Amino acid sequence: VTGASFVVFNGALKTSSGFLAKSSIVEDGLMVQITPETMEGLRQALRDKKDFKITCGKTDTGDVKEYVDICWVENEEKTNKE
């Protein structure tokens, strides 16, 4: 679990890159590079207020180690305390 001050979703990752998605720490935030298709799915999930999971890692390995979960919560008090 990583806490971040901000999240950037970059929808320009090429399918030919060999990655499903890539995440990296940038200053005190998180940048998630995703394909245009995944970006469209994320946009629709946000419009519908649905949870969304982004799987990060190389496409050719079964060794997936990271996920970026976007979750809607009922009570924000328990999740983002300063």
Side-chain angles (χ1 to χ4, degrees), residues 40-52 72:
E40 184 52 42
L42 173 59
R43 286 182 178 146
Q44 190 59 52
L46 292 173
R47 281 187 215 109
D48 297 341
K49 295 185 178 179
K50 301 281 185 190
D51 292 351
F52 193 79
W72 292 86

Side-chain angles (χ1 to χ4, degrees), residues 56-69:
C56 299
K58 293 196 172 210
T59 54
D60 58 357
T61 64
D63 231 10
V64 177
K65 295 183 177 114
E66 292 182 13
Y67 298 95
V68 176
D69 289 319

Side-chain angles (χ1 to χ4, degrees), residues 11-67:
L13 185 68
K14 303 274 189 249
T15 308
S16 61
S17 70
F19 284 90
L20 297 167
K22 293 166 62 175
S23 65
S24 55
I25 304 291
V26 180
E27 295 180 14
D28 60 341
L30 180 67
M31 180 169 64
V32 185
Q33 297 174 324
I34 56 178
T35 62
E37 297 80 17
T38 303
M39 179 65 90
E40 184 52 42
L42 173 59
R43 286 182 178 146
Q44 190 59 52
L46 292 173
R47 281 187 215 109
D48 297 341
K49 295 185 178 179
K50 301 281 185 190
D51 292 351
F52 193 79
K53 179 180 254 185
I54 299 170
T55 304
C56 299
K58 293 196 172 210
T59 54
D60 58 357
T61 64
D63 231 10
V64 177
K65 295 183 177 114
E66 292 182 13
Y67 298 95

